[in-house]
């Protein structure tokens, strides 16, 4: 680098150089060449040469350290306006479709809220409460995993297609194994959870019932949204931000059309059904694009994990729902102590059933995750 050390072959001493950055900025080409020749006379450099368009003096340095090729941009600050540098321009071009998609998605949310106001004064609140609970597994599972896996996918996106697909498949399998039981448990305990969190003050039992119905319809699209977010991050890793944005625009248009069609016959529940359909459509298109661009993810065990996780999730949901019904029958009532019992006991039973199903069905993704959590830091033992 300019102003840094040059290491001759077999020599590990650091040799200081003049500040070539200042010289190159103030001197002529001949001056830079003279400095380069002087440096060559002091060090054991293999070769030096000049290039034109632009004119520059090149010193080829050989070292004992591993070398790698990298694309480097040099910007003339006197001629380049702020924001037009090659790297910045490239980032802005990648970010522009994301901004467009966010704007269209936000417009869809505003339209949804506007339509919800036509179904009742409290409908917007019901949607917000439902969204609060819906976003919890998305944030804890999907966003966390997607963010963690993105740097690895970005490194593997160029020239390592098979490894890229393997990493993506591993992330998807873990998301599926976690999101399906979370969806089933939240679906089964929707009413008790809402009663525990929201049924206070002016939020009445009737409000809890309506909010639980809204949430359960919304949960239909949760597994699709989880898989879809992983695929969107995989596209970002491949520097493809345009296709996810276009898919988002298509899904929002679909949502508005279906919502208008279902508004009169189904009211608020029709809006939630349209939103779930939007999530399903978005995921379906992203899966199709993945198949077109990467020839899918066949051979990585996704179908196997999906079937086993779905079976475990179904058992978990049924156990939690049955336990909640039993608690309501045995200890029927209201108030905070009853609400806590109605969530904690069925939730615990559902968790035990899920753990049993993981063991019986041998869901390796969850087993490996539990080993990672229990393993001491710095153990360095690889997982099977």
């Amino acid at each position: 680098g300019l102003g840094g050390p040059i290491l001759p072959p077999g020599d590990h001493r650091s040799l200081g150089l003049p500040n070539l950055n200042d010289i190159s900025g103030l001197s002529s080409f001949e001056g830079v060449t003279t400095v380069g020749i002087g440096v060559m006379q002091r060090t054991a450099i293999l070769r030096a040469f000049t290039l034109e368009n632009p004119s520059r003096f090149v010193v080829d340095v050989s070292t004992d350290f591993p070398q790698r090729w990298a694309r480097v941009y040099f910007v003339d600050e006197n001629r380049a306006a702020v924001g037009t540098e090659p790297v910045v321009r490239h980032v802005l071009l990648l970010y522009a479709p994301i901004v467009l998609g966010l704007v269209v998605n936000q417009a869809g949310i505003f339209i949804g809220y506007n339509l919800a106001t036509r179904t009742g004064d409290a409908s917007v609140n019901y949607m917000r409460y439902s969204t609060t609970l819906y976003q919890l597994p998305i944030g804890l599972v999907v966003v966390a995993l997607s963010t963690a896996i993105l740097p690895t996918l970005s490194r593997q996106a160029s020239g390592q297609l098979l490894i890229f697909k393997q990493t993506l498949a591993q992330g998807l399998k873990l998301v599926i194994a976690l999101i399906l039981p979370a969806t089933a448990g939240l679906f089964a305990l929707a009413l008790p959870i809402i009663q525990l969190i929201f049924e206070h003050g002016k939020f009445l039992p009737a409000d809890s019932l309506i909010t639980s119905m809204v949430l359960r319809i919304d949960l239909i699209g949760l597994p699709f949204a989880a898989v879809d977010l992983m695929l969107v991050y995989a596209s970002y890793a491949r520097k493809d931000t345009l296709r996810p944005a276009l898919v988002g625009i298509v899904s929002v248009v679909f949502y508005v059309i279906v919502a208008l069609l279902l508004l009169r016959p189904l009211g608020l529940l029709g809006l939630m059904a349209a939103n779930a359909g939007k999530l399903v459509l978005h995921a379906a298109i992203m899966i199709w694009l993945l198949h077109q661009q990467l020839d899918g993810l066949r051979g990585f065990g996704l179908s196997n994990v999906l079937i086993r996780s779905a079976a475990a999730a179904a058992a978990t949901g049924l156990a939690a729902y049955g336990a909640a019904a039993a608690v309501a029958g045995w200890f029927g009532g209201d108030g905070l102590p009853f609400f806590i019992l109605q969530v904690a006991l069925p939730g615990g039973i559902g968790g035990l059933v899920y753990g049993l199903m993981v063991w019986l069905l041998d869901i390796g993704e969850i087993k490996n995750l539990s080993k990672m959590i229990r393993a001491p830091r710095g153990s360095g033992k690889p997982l099977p």
Side-chain angles (χ1 to χ4, degrees):
L2 298 179
I6 289 182
L7 299 178
D11 191 348
H12 296 280
R13 296 173 300 166
S14 295
L15 302 177
L17 294 180
N19 194 335
L20 300 184
N21 192 35
D22 292 340
I23 295 175
S24 62
L26 300 175
S27 304
S28 62
F29 175 71
E30 290 76 10
V32 175
T33 305
T34 303
V35 172
I37 294 175
V39 172
M40 287 184 60
Q41 292 176 347
R42 294 171 49 199
T43 58
I45 295 178
L46 293 182
R47 62 194 182 108
F49 51 91
T50 59
L51 294 176
E52 297 181 354
N53 296 324
S55 299
R56 56 201 184 277
F57 179 81
V58 180
V59 178
D60 187 2
V61 182
S62 177
T63 73
D64 293 336
F65 299 100
Q67 302 181 32
R68 57 175 294 185
W69 289 101
R71 177 174 296 179
V72 180
Y73 297 97
F74 296 93
V75 180
D76 185 348
E77 296 180 354
N78 297 322
R79 292 187 296 174
V82 176
T84 63
E85 297 87 344
V87 176
V88 175
R89 186 167 61 246
H90 181 64
V91 171
L92 292 177
L93 290 175
L94 290 175
Y95 189 58
I98 298 178
V99 173
L100 176 61
L102 291 174
V103 170
V104 174
N105 184 69
Q106 195 63 40
I109 293 175
F110 288 151
I111 293 174
Y113 281 149
N114 181 269
L115 294 176
T117 58
R118 307 180 188 184
T119 64
D121 296 335
S123 294
V124 173
N125 291 330
Y126 297 147
M127 293 176 64
R128 288 176 176 169
Y129 295 143
S130 171
T131 301
T132 299
L133 296 175
Y134 172 90
Q135 292 291 342
L136 182 61
I138 288 288
L140 291 178
V141 176
V142 188
V143 174
L145 286 174
S146 301
T147 304
I149 204 175
L150 180 58
T152 302
L153 289 175
S154 299
R155 289 194 301 268
Q156 299 170 349
S158 57
Q160 304 181 59
L161 180 58
L162 182 60
I163 301 177
F164 175 87
K165 293 170 66 173
Q166 181 180 4
T167 302
L168 177 58
Q170 290 174 345
L172 285 171
K173 287 190 290 186
L174 187 55
V175 165
I176 291 171
L178 290 173
I179 204 66
L180 288 181
T183 303
L186 193 54
F187 189 94
L189 300 179
L191 181 57
I193 291 174
I194 291 170
Q195 289 175 326
L196 174 61
I197 298 176
F198 300 119
E199 193 172 306
H200 310 286
K202 295 183 179 180
F203 198 94
L204 304 177
D207 299 318
S208 296
L209 181 61
I210 297 175
T211 306
S212 67
M213 295 171 62
V214 170
L215 175 60
R216 282 171 172 159
I217 295 177
D218 215 8
L219 287 173
I220 296 174
L222 179 57
F224 297 93
V227 172
D228 178 67
L229 188 57
M230 284 291 294
L231 297 180
V232 169
Y233 272 67
S235 293
Y236 291 167
R238 298 173 58 243
K239 297 181 175 59
D240 180 8
T241 58
L242 178 60
R243 288 182 179 86
L246 294 177
V247 174
I249 294 173
V250 171
S251 64
V252 169
V253 173
F254 171 85
Y255 164 74
V256 173
I257 294 174
V258 175
L260 291 173
L261 293 175
L262 298 181
L263 180 62
R264 184 176 296 274
L266 298 178
L268 178 60
L269 300 183
L271 297 181
M272 304 316 297
N275 185 68
K278 178 191 73 172
L279 299 174
V280 173
L281 177 65
H282 199 294
I285 298 177
M286 290 301 299
I287 292 173
W288 177 79
L289 288 175
L290 175 70
H291 180 76
Q292 295 295 316
Q293 296 173 335
L294 304 179
D295 195 25
L297 295 175
R298 292 187 301 271
F300 292 98
L302 279 170
S303 299
N304 185 31
V305 172
L306 176 61
I307 294 173
R308 297 186 185 193
S309 299
T316 300
L318 289 174
Y321 185 81
V327 169
W330 294 339
F331 308 98
D334 55 13
L336 185 60
F338 172 72
F339 292 156
I340 294 176
L341 179 64
Q342 200 178 19
V343 172
L345 184 58
I349 293 175
L352 291 175
V353 170
Y354 179 66
L356 178 63
M357 294 298 295
V358 168
W359 179 72
L360 290 175
L361 298 177
D362 192 24
I363 304 178
E365 285 68 28
I366 303 301
K367 288 184 175 180
N368 291 340
L369 181 62
S370 63
K371 291 179 182 179
M372 292 174 60
I373 295 174
R374 295 196 306 266
R377 290 187 178 182
S379 61
K381 295 181 179 180
L383 296 176

